[in-house]
Amino acid sequence: MAKRVAVIGAGAAGLCAVRHLSASPEIFSVVCYELGPTVGGTWNYTDRTGKDENGLPIQSSMYKNLRTNLPKEVMAFPDFPFNTCLPSYIVHQDVLEYLKSYADQYNLYKYIKLNTMVTEVHSRQSTGSKELWDVSYCPSADRSQVQTQEFDAVMVCNGHYSLPLYPTIPGMEEFRGQVVHSHDYRKPDEFRGQTVVCLGAAASGQDIAIDVSHQAKMVYLSHNKSPLQTCLPENVQQKPGIAKLGTHSVTFLNGEEAELDVLLLCTGYHYHFHFLSSDCQVQISDERISPLYKHLVHIDHPTMAFVGIPKTICPFPQFDVQVRFFVSSLCGQFTLPSREEMISDTERDFQRRLSEGLPPRYAHVLGPWQWGYNDELAELAHIQLIPRVVQKLYDYVHETRVRDIARYKDCNYEITSEEDFKAV
């Protein structure tokens, strides 16, 4: 019998999982559950914030003017390029159309249950040592009609850009201005003529600060990194982190004080798996998910995988490697290490990060480590490596971004071989 695999989420990671599973119908039978009315996950822009028409939290964190901060030439799945007529830095609508085209190309819709909410996932042992999974689900619009289906494996692909992380800031309760998390940021027009603090200077914080500056009177980009060595718009100033808030003011860590209308929190997101029952034995502590081998495979339940957990990465190519790695383990093309070896490998990686001064919440942040990680997965599973040009262009773009955050998206690129690219 074919192995029955449940895929939770039909964003980029989930579509990639369905594509590779459905390519071997003699080995796998796949069902994908998607909460929304269409595929694409977070790339489905909506003006709405808070709750959707079914009373469920809005999943998307897209804002109206978002353009990708990576060129399409490195964003694509390895064998499915973007339309070459598009510029390198594309708008979110183009990414959504790309994902829909991907689903069409590989005939994925027939495996996907849209408008379907996964309510619970249970682990249970069948006869012998084989583990089975019970996945309970219901229509998004009528959560009283719950059904349950049995599976041999589960791939969790629900993303991690929907549950905002709110920091604790002294004076927050007394602050009388507006507090908005980037998850709910949509248009700069809403901040016309106002003084805004963007707290957080990761990629989205930087991009949103630039976007807001087109309408705001003043934007303070507040963060605890070394000062960004880049040109910024005249009305954007860098400041250190926030010491405290007043009723209509902010005091930065250097003691400087400024009047404030809006606090815009670009402070990231929580990992969140509300549908996992306690018998799934997944722990999240300080944004570290345990126990995961290679940020992917559940060590104690190796027929469960979490695709797309790492941060600061080139996402779609990595999703593809992660999916192919896990699918290869499910069909027996290679064997995962022993439980003890997986635990040791995971702890060794975590301790390396701590020894380099990174806090535990950076457990899944890869950055420059992503390329070695991708190659290791590919080599372990005997699957094709990501072409080296993806790393070369990704690193080059990072350098241009660091120098000129406001204009680096004006550049365009062309892949000329698996090893090289050129600016056009």
Side-chain angles (χ1 to χ4, degrees):
M1 288 181 59
K3 292 180 183 289
R4 300 158 299 176
V5 186
V7 176
I8 301 174
L15 291 175
C16 182
V18 176
R19 177 262 170 105
H20 286 291
L21 290 164
S22 64
S24 302
E26 73 286 358
I27 302 176
F28 299 111
S29 169
V30 57
V31 178
C32 177
Y33 302 96
E34 168 53 43
L35 185 64
T38 186
V39 302
T42 195
W43 294 98
N44 281 286
Y45 172 80
T46 174
D47 283 334
R48 297 183 70 147
T49 59
K51 304 284 187 180
D52 66 13
E53 61 274 12
N54 296 317
L56 295 170
I58 294 291
Q59 299 297 301
S60 179
S61 295
M62 288 294 109
Y63 56 91
K64 182 180 179 181
N65 298 329
L66 183 141
R67 293 170 64 199
T68 59
N69 54 29
L70 291 174
K72 71 181 193 302
E73 289 76 18
V74 303
M75 283 187 63
F77 290 117
D79 53 357
F80 194 77
F82 280 86
N83 186 334
T84 55
C85 294
L86 295 170
S88 285
Y89 295 93
I90 53 181
V91 296
H92 57 80
Q93 294 95 329
D94 292 328
V95 182
L96 181 60
E97 286 306 309
Y98 170 83
L99 293 173
K100 289 180 176 179
S101 297
Y102 184 83
D104 284 330
Q105 174 69 27
Y106 297 107
N107 198 18
L108 305 184
Y109 284 101
K110 64 182 180 181
Y111 305 104
I112 302 170
K113 292 180 180 292
L114 298 172
N115 294 306
T116 303
M117 178 181 184
V118 173
T119 59
E120 201 155 29
V121 177
H122 277 287
S123 163
R124 64 181 174 86
Q125 298 290 331
S126 65
T127 305
S129 60
K130 181 181 178 182
E131 183 169 38
L132 296 175
W133 301 91
D134 287 333
V135 176
S136 298
Y137 59 95
C138 62
S140 303
D142 184 0
R143 296 187 284 283
S144 65
Q145 299 184 28
V146 178
Q147 302 178 61
T148 300
Q149 196 166 348
E150 182 182 87
F151 292 94
D152 299 295
V154 175
M155 299 182 74
V156 180
C157 305
N158 67 320
H160 51 83
Y161 294 110
S162 61
L163 185 64
L165 192 161
Y166 286 90
T168 300
I169 301 173
M172 180 83 88
E173 293 181 358
E174 289 74 35
F175 180 59
R176 294 293 174 264
Q178 188 178 5
V179 178
V180 181
H181 193 278
S182 59
H183 176 63
D184 296 321
Y185 173 71
R186 294 294 182 265
K187 305 171 185 175
D189 313 46
E190 299 166 8
F191 306 101
R192 184 177 287 112
Q194 296 183 310
T195 299
V196 180
V197 166
C198 285
L199 179 61
S204 63
Q206 295 176 28
D207 286 350
I208 288 174
I210 300 296
D211 194 45
V212 172
S213 72
H214 293 118
Q215 297 291 342
K217 180 174 73 173
M218 175 59 70
V219 178
Y220 296 112
L221 181 56
S222 172
H223 61 93
N224 292 319
K225 300 180 177 182
S226 300
L228 304 177
Q229 303 300 310
T230 181
C231 298
L232 291 170
E234 288 185 3
N235 63 336
V236 178
Q237 294 182 14
Q238 295 186 70
K239 296 293 182 183
I242 296 175
K244 64 179 180 179
L245 295 168
T247 54
H248 296 283
S249 66
V250 58
T251 302
F252 300 105
L253 289 173
N254 62 0
E256 290 184 40
E257 187 173 340
E259 292 185 0
L260 180 61
D261 299 307
V262 181
L263 176 60
L264 185 45
L265 299 171
C266 304
T267 47
Y269 298 84
H270 291 288
Y271 294 108
H272 184 55
F273 312 105
H274 65 89
F275 44 81
L276 296 184
S277 63
S278 58
D279 52 39
C280 293
Q281 297 177 295
V282 173
Q283 297 86 40
I284 304 176
S285 177
D286 204 5
E287 300 309 307
R288 183 191 184 195
I289 306 169
S290 298
L292 291 188
Y293 173 63
K294 302 298 184 190
H295 310 277
L296 176 64
V297 180
H298 195 316
I299 292 174
D300 293 326
H301 303 276
T303 53
M304 173 177 273
F306 295 76
V307 182
I309 295 303
K311 301 177 181 179
T312 316
I313 57 161
C314 190
F316 295 4
Q318 184 172 102
F319 297 167
D320 192 79
V321 170
Q322 288 186 317
V323 166
R324 288 185 290 127
F325 176 92
F326 184 64
V327 169
S328 294
S329 75
L330 287 181
C331 66
Q333 289 183 357
F334 86 104
T335 303
L336 290 167
S338 68
R339 179 178 183 274
E340 291 70 24
E341 289 172 315
M342 288 193 286
I343 291 173
S344 176
D345 180 273
T346 302
E347 187 59 27
R348 188 163 53 247
D349 177 69
F350 183 58
Q351 291 301 323
R352 179 187 64 173
R353 294 165 182 278
L354 297 182
S355 70
E356 296 192 7
L358 295 174
R361 68 178 184 276
Y362 278 62
H364 301 299
V365 176
L366 293 187
W369 290 321
Q370 65 181 299
W371 312 111
Y373 167 81
N374 295 340
D375 287 350
E376 186 176 13
L377 290 188
E379 289 163 0
L380 285 170
H382 314 296
I383 57 180
Q384 187 175 359
L385 298 169
I386 295 174
R388 193 56 56 205
V389 66
V390 174
Q391 177 183 352
K392 291 177 72 172
L393 180 49
Y394 180 99
D395 290 344
Y396 178 81
V397 164
H398 175 73
E399 294 172 6
T400 63
R401 179 188 178 92
V402 166
R403 292 195 300 269
D404 194 352
I405 187 177
R407 292 189 293 268
Y408 78 102
K409 295 181 183 181
D410 295 339
C411 300
N412 287 289
Y413 303 96
E414 180 184 322
I415 300 292
T416 57
S417 71
E418 289 204 348
E419 295 286 336
D420 219 344
F421 67 93
K422 67 178 180 180
V424 294

